[in-house]
Structures are given as C-alpha cells and as structure tokens.
C-alpha cells in the first residue's frame, strides 16, 4: 500500500508495558488492541485507498488524558496519528505503519456557548452535524458545512482547515476560530482557548494548528465564532450550456444577491449523471445541460429574499445565461436539490476507486483542467465510461465561489498506469497557472510529494523548521505533510 516509504526505526515499538501504562491512565474501554479487536475502521481511510497497520487505538476522554498519552509517547518515541471522524480525503487520518491512533471520538462535549456573542467552546471530538444541531436549537449556525458532516469532527475540521459549502459566506476557519487548546508532542498543554474576536498581542500561534493535519499536536478543544442562523434559506438550481456562462452567472449573483448569497456551487453534466446512476430522486431539470449551478441565499426577510432570487433568475433567463432553472418550494426540495451537489463524492466512490484532485485555479481557467484531463486520458488509449475501460468517469464540480475545483477520475480499481498518466501532470498544469495543489482537503500522505508545485522552497524550509520546533522527535503523524 505504501511502496515508497519505510518505517522510521527511530520510533519505538509498542510493548506490553506501554499498553499496561495506557490502561492504567485511561478509563476502561479506551485502550483497543489488535489482539482483542478489529481495528480496520481506524486503519483504513474513507476512500479505502490507504491501509495502515496500527496495533493500538487510544480513546481519551479529557485533555489531561491526551496529555498523559503524549507524555508516554514522547518518552518512548512512539509515533501517533490523531484521528477525528476519519473522513479525510488525502490519507492523513490513518497510520502508515504501526503508529498509535489517538481517536478523539469520546471527547465530544460542548463546553460553553454564549448566546450573546455566539462564541462556542467545544471538545475537538464533537461531530460537526450534532454541533450544528446544538447551535440551531439556539438560533445559531456553525460557520462550516460539508458533505461529511454526519461523521467528521470539529477538531478534524480545524486540523484540515476544511472549506466546504459556505466558505463564500462565512469565510475560512482561519477567521472564525478564535482559540485552540492542544496537547503538544511532549504532553504539555497549549492553552490558547481565547474567546476574543480581537487580540493583537503578538504572533497568532493558534493559526499554525489550523490546517496542521495532526503534525504539530493533538487539538483537544476549539472556540469558534458562530453567526446567527438565517431564518430564510432559498435554493435555486439551473442548467447552463457553457463554463463561460457559469462565470457570468456568478458575477451577477455577487452583484444582485450580494449580502444574502451563501453558496454558489457548480457541477458538470458528467457529475450529475454519476449521481443519477445511484439516486432514486427525479432529476431537478427535465433536459440535460452541460453545466449546473446551485445557488443558495440565506437571509431574514422571506419576501425580500425571494424577490431578489426571482429577479436574479429572470435576469439570467432574459440575458440567455441560463437555459432552465428551478426554485425550491419547501425544505424538502431544498434538501433534494442539495443532494445533487453533496451526493457527488459518494456516487463517485461507488465505482471502485477515485483519483481526487482538489485544486485552486484562477476562475477563467478552472474548468479547462477537466477538459484537458479527459483528452490526456484518451490520448493514452483509455476510453472513458465504456464497458471495458477502467476509467468510469471524469467529472468536475466544486466551490466556484471560492475558485476551488474538484476534478475526480473515477475508476473501477486503482491502477498505477492511470495514476502515472495523471500525476504529476495535473500538478504541473496547476503550477503553470500559479494555483494550489490542495485547496481544502490538505496534504496528508497523498499530496506530500506535490507540495513543491504550489510552495516556494524557502517556504517549505520554514515549514520544516516550524515542524522541528513543535515536534523535535517527529512523532506526530509521520510520513505525511512535509
Ligand atoms: P480525519 O479525517 O479524522 O483527519 C483528517 C486530518 O486531521 C488527519 O491528518 C488527522 O491526523 C487530523 N486530525 C483530526 N482530528 C485531529 C485533532 N483533534 N487534532 C489534531 N489533528 C487532527 N473537506 C473540505 O474541506 N470541504 C468539503 O466540502 C468536504 N466535503 C467532504 C465530503 C465527503 C463526502 C467526504 C468523505 C469528505 C469531505 N471533506 C471535505 C474532507 C473531510 O471531511 C474534511 O477534511 C474534514 O475536515 C475531516 O475531518 P475528520 O474529523 O474526519 O478528520
Ligand atoms: C466536496 O466539495 O464535495 C468535497 O470537498 C468532497 C469531495 O470533493 O470529494
Ligand atoms: Zn469541496
């Protein structure tokens, strides 16, 4: 599974004494060993592409317990992988060899919520969807939403600096996360769980943990600024014939929907056919189109918001930007329309395997990558979507409002030949456009070799130095990231 890496023999191997120690400091049921349990759920990632061989999973219930774990790991040079909901898409959340998995799933309590400021302080292991539900009951919203919300943890979201479906509206976690509590590799507790929106007292060290993917420490708690939940949410779904028109619709959305615009997602026809293959739902539009856009507005005045969205859609029709469109009439329809966007990753996964590219590219060239990829695959003699071919589909979709394309190549089975056709070609393509090889999923194991296509050598060197300062023994999520 990991042909080009060898176990770093500087790391200790788990002994019976280590297990005895962990059992003595953790609550019953918190120490899972391969000898007694099936640990495959912790060793295999959500794409079933990466398989680790961890023999030990620890499930701490408090920051103090994480600290005791890390003190032992530091003293014994035992490598660890912090794990949230294990929904990551770059092979970062599972071990490569025998690293200990520190699962955060039992640290799942809301610590406090201030209904005046909207500031939530919660354990890292809170599941995103239940945290958002907690906030919904109080009239607030978690400022991040993504398809894996039912499983991913808010700590995992911060560790990956997840972007998701409404970054356009609520901004990046670098802006909304106000504080972080983490356990450092030597077991000391980094307590920066501030609740201040403004704090200009020196280097903002907590920012380094946002997007650090378990390489600097174990995030145990976060404090985050949550906006009021919008009373009125509207969704429109429309078909367009060219990528040029998708961009025109976006410019108009920014101008005309402005403060109520909360998502602008685009999907190509291949991605919609993929969802349709596995969905019982009726397709939102009768005719097929080359592209589709889902626009969401969130506001507080129904009449005002609906009028704005209606006028926007009529304007698009009149200027021939869209060919057809539909407006959700109730909450069920809102949910169903979102399925045609959120359901894409799952439907692709049903093919067998998926080569996933999550990239930032200047908007005008964003879709060109998908077209060039199809041409390249065919030039190398592979059909797309025919019965005998391993390549099932090549699709493009993503967060257009953020300049973030998801290019996915679905295959019946992972195949090195296909991988060599795609990599590093995709990354070279991105480098030429000064884009990013990872817009939101992170580096993990998958993107580590390709960091150089997006970051200058000097910057990479600084990243290495930071890693050494925080984690001198290199025990935090090794073989990945940098
Ligand atoms: P995991 O997968 O468990 O871990 C991810 C990384 O974070 C690993 O490196 C791990 O070591 C580290 N980590 C986890 N918890 C901690 C912790 N407490 N302390 C330190 N390090 C930690 N991502 C997006 O950005 N936008 C999307 O729209 C999006 N949609 C998705 C849709 C689907 C269907 C799926 C399967 C995934 C999607 N993802 C998306 C990717 C993934 O869900 C996110 O990266 C998510 O933030 C990972 O959270 P997790 O709790 O599952 O973390
Ligand atoms: C998405 O936007 O759906 C996610 O980032 C997940 C994915 O692309 O697989
Ligand atoms: Zn995404």
């Amino acid at each position: 599974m990991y042909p080009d890496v060898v176990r770093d023999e500087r790391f200790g191997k788990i002994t019976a004494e280590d297990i005895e120690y962990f059992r003595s400091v953790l609550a019953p049921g918190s120490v899972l060993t391969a000898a007694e349990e099936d640990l495959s759920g912790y060793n295999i990632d959500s794409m079933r592409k990466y398989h680790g061989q961890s023999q030990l999973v620890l499930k701490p219930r408090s920051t103090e317990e994480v600290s005791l774990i890390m003190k032992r790991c530091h003293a014994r040079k035992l490598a660890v992988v912090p794990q949230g909901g294990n929904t990551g898409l770059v092979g970062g959340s599972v071990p490569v060899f025998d690293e200990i998995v520190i699962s955060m799933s039992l640290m799942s309590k809301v610590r406090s919520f201030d209904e005046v400021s909207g500031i939530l302080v919660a354990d890292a292991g809170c599941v995103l969807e239940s945290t958002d539900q907690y906030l919904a009951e109080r009239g607030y919203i978690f400022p991040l939403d993504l398809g894996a919300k039912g499983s991913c943890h808010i700590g995992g979201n911060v560790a990956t600096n997840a972007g998701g479906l409404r970054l356009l509206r609520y901004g990046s976690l670098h802006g909304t996360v106000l504080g972080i509590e983490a356990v450092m590799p030597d077991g000391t507790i980094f307590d920066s769980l501030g609740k201040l929106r403004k704090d200009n007292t020196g280097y903002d060290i907590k920012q380094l943990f946002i997007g650090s993917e378990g390489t600097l420490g174990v995030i145990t708690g976060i404090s985050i600024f949550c906006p009021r939940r919008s009373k009125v949410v509207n969704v429109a779904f429309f078909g367009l014939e060219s990528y040029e028109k998708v961009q025109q619709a976006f410019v108009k959305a920014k101008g005309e929907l402005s403060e109520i615009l909360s998502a602008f997602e685009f999907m190509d026809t291949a991605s919609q056919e993929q969802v349709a293959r596995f969905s019982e739902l009726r397709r939102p539009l009768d005719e097929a189109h080359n592209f589709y856009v889902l626009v969401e507005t969130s506001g507080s005045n129904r009449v005002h918001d609906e009028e704005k969205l209606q006028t926007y859609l009529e304007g698009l029709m009149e200027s021939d930007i869209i060919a057809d469109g539909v407006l959700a009439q109730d909450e069920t329809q809102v949910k169903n329309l979102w399925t045609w966007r959120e359901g894409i990753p799952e439907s692709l996964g049903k093919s067998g395997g998926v080569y996933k590219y999550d990239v930032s590219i200047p908007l005008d060239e964003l879709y060109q990558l998908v077209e060039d990829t199809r041409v390249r695959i065919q030039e190398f003699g592979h059909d797309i979507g025919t019965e005998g071919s391993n390549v099932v589909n090549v699709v493009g979709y993503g967060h257009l409002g953020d300049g973030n394309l998801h290019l996915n190549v679905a295959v019946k089975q992972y195949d090195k030949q296909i991988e060599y056709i795609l990599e590093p070609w995709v990354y070279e393509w991105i480098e030429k456009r000064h884009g990013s090889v990872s817009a939101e999923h992170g580096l993990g194991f998958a993107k580590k070799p390709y960091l150089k296509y997006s970051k200058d050598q000097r910057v990479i060197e600084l990243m290495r130095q930071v890693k050494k300062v925080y984690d001198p023994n290199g025990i935090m999520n090794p073989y990945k990231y940098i």
Side-chain angles (χ1 to χ4, degrees):
M1 203 45 61
Y2 298 99
D4 303 325
V5 263
V6 285
R7 187 182 183 281
D8 187 336
E9 292 307 329
R10 284 173 305 168
F11 296 140
K13 289 201 170 145
I14 299 157
T15 61
E17 289 74 41
D18 293 321
I19 292 175
E20 206 176 300
Y21 167 82
F22 291 128
R23 287 203 204 279
S24 74
V25 297
L26 301 180
S30 296
V31 179
L32 314 184
T33 65
E36 292 160 346
E37 322 250 351
D38 174 12
L39 300 185
S40 52
Y42 302 92
N43 271 312
I44 303 176
D45 75 316
S46 66
M47 300 178 296
R48 301 176 305 280
K49 194 171 181 191
Y50 300 97
H51 296 222
Q53 298 152 36
S54 182
Q55 303 295 302
L56 182 62
V57 174
L58 302 176
K59 293 180 146 192
R61 287 163 204 255
S62 66
T63 305
E64 290 66 35
E65 287 190 359
V66 178
S67 168
L68 290 169
I69 292 171
M70 288 316 303
K71 279 188 176 139
R72 177 79 180 193
C73 293
H74 174 69
R76 295 261 304 108
K77 288 204 172 58
L78 298 171
V80 304
V81 179
Q83 192 176 85
N86 194 13
T87 67
L89 297 171
V90 289
S93 52
V94 292
V96 174
F97 297 103
D98 56 350
E99 300 88 272
I100 297 172
V101 173
I102 303 182
S103 164
M104 299 304 286
S105 55
L106 299 184
M107 281 189 69
S108 56
K109 286 195 193 72
V110 168
R111 298 188 192 176
S112 68
F113 180 63
D114 182 335
E115 298 209 18
V116 177
S117 65
I119 294 166
L120 172 86
V121 183
D123 286 350
C126 289
V127 170
L128 174 58
E129 192 169 44
S130 23
T131 312
D132 185 55
Q133 191 51 44
Y134 170 94
L135 291 165
E137 284 157 17
R138 289 153 182 84
Y140 283 83
I141 188 169
F142 198 87
L144 168 79
D145 186 19
L146 47 85
K149 55 181 154 279
S151 309
C152 64
H153 294 181
I154 59 172
N157 299 147
V158 172
T160 54
N161 187 24
L165 304 163
R166 294 193 186 78
L167 186 135
L168 173 71
R169 173 66 166 265
Y170 300 119
S172 135
L173 292 173
H174 279 293
T176 48
V177 171
L178 304 178
I180 282 184
E181 176 193 81
V183 174
M184 304 299 292
D186 67 358
T188 54
I189 297 172
F190 167 87
D191 183 358
S192 182
L193 210 46
K195 296 190 218 164
L196 308 173
R197 285 207 74 192
K198 297 178 93 172
D199 176 15
N200 266 353
T201 51
Y203 301 127
D204 192 357
I205 301 292
K206 72 161 187 301
Q207 293 293 349
L208 278 176
F209 285 94
I210 303 172
S212 61
E213 298 180 48
T215 62
L216 300 182
V218 184
I219 298 171
T220 48
I222 66 159
S223 96
I224 187 160
F225 175 73
C226 304
R228 287 293 289 185
R229 203 174 196 89
S230 299
K231 292 195 193 98
V232 186
V233 175
N234 284 304
V235 169
F237 187 98
F238 44 82
L240 314 90
E241 299 317 334
S242 70
Y243 177 66
E244 184 58 38
K245 292 190 172 179
V246 173
Q247 292 178 78
Q248 288 168 7
F250 177 49
V251 173
K252 274 186 169 288
K254 284 195 288 182
E256 291 176 26
L257 301 172
S258 50
E259 82 288 354
I260 58 167
L261 179 64
S262 53
F264 192 100
E265 298 284 313
F266 96 105
M267 298 77 84
D268 67 4
T269 198
S271 73
Q272 295 305 278
E273 278 158 17
Q274 185 76 18
V275 180
R277 232 166 264 161
F278 301 99
S279 173
E280 314 245 289
L281 289 176
R282 201 170 151 227
R283 292 201 49 177
L285 306 176
D286 293 332
E287 308 271 315
H289 302 277
N290 293 330
F291 293 93
Y292 299 86
V293 162
L294 184 151
V295 170
E296 185 194 76
T297 64
S298 306
S300 57
N301 184 318
R302 184 167 300 282
V303 177
H304 163 270
D305 293 4
E306 284 178 2
E307 206 175 282
K308 258 189 154 176
L309 189 54
Q310 191 71 45
T311 313
Y312 167 67
L313 281 182
E314 281 165 12
L316 293 182
M317 287 270 197
E318 275 161 24
S319 45
D320 242 357
I321 294 175
I322 64 171
D324 193 8
V326 60
L327 254 171
Q329 298 303 321
D330 54 38
E331 260 184 58
T332 312
Q333 284 185 16
V334 165
K335 209 165 153 255
N336 287 350
L337 288 180
W338 265 112
T339 306
W340 291 94
R341 166 60 186 90
E342 287 188 271
I344 302 171
E346 199 191 336
S347 68
L348 287 162
K350 289 189 171 150
S351 311
V354 191
Y355 292 102
K356 295 183 89 69
Y357 304 98
D358 153 47
V359 303
S360 279
I361 319 174
L363 272 182
D364 57 342
E365 289 199 87
L366 192 106
Y367 196 71
Q368 191 59 45
L369 176 59
V370 183
E371 286 172 345
D372 288 0
T373 303
R374 288 192 183 117
V375 171
R376 184 169 168 89
I377 288 173
Q378 282 160 339
E379 274 172 1
F380 276 81
H382 295 272
D383 291 332
I384 299 168
T386 56
E387 213 179 305
S389 172
N390 188 22
V391 182
V392 176
N393 210 344
V394 177
V395 315
Y397 59 95
H399 318 289
L400 190 97
D402 315 327
N404 179 184
L405 168 77
H406 295 309
L407 160 69
N408 282 223
V409 178
V411 289
K412 287 182 191 149
Q413 61 222 11
Y414 290 115
D415 173 357
K416 278 284 161 202
Q417 246 199 334
I418 307 277
E419 192 175 312
Y420 293 142
I421 294 170
L422 296 168
E423 299 171 21
W425 174 83
V426 168
Y427 301 115
E428 286 164 359
W429 196 102
I430 291 156
E431 185 185 35
K432 281 187 205 131
R433 276 102 185 152
H434 308 288
S436 169
V437 299
S438 181
E440 59 176 10
H441 296 163
L443 296 170
F445 187 82
K447 304 290 155 69
K448 174 186 168 178
Y450 306 112
L451 179 58
K452 61 176 185 232
Y453 291 97
S454 290
K455 284 241 159 49
D456 182 78
Q457 270 313 320
R458 177 77 194 122
V459 177
I460 296 178
E461 194 40 48
L462 277 171
M463 283 170 68
R464 271 205 190 99
Q465 287 173 18
V466 169
K467 166 77 177 168
K468 272 202 191 115
V469 168
Y470 279 68
D471 181 22
N473 292 338
I475 59 172
M476 297 302 308
N477 217 357
Y479 317 106
K480 301 166 188 155
Y481 200 81
I482 189 140

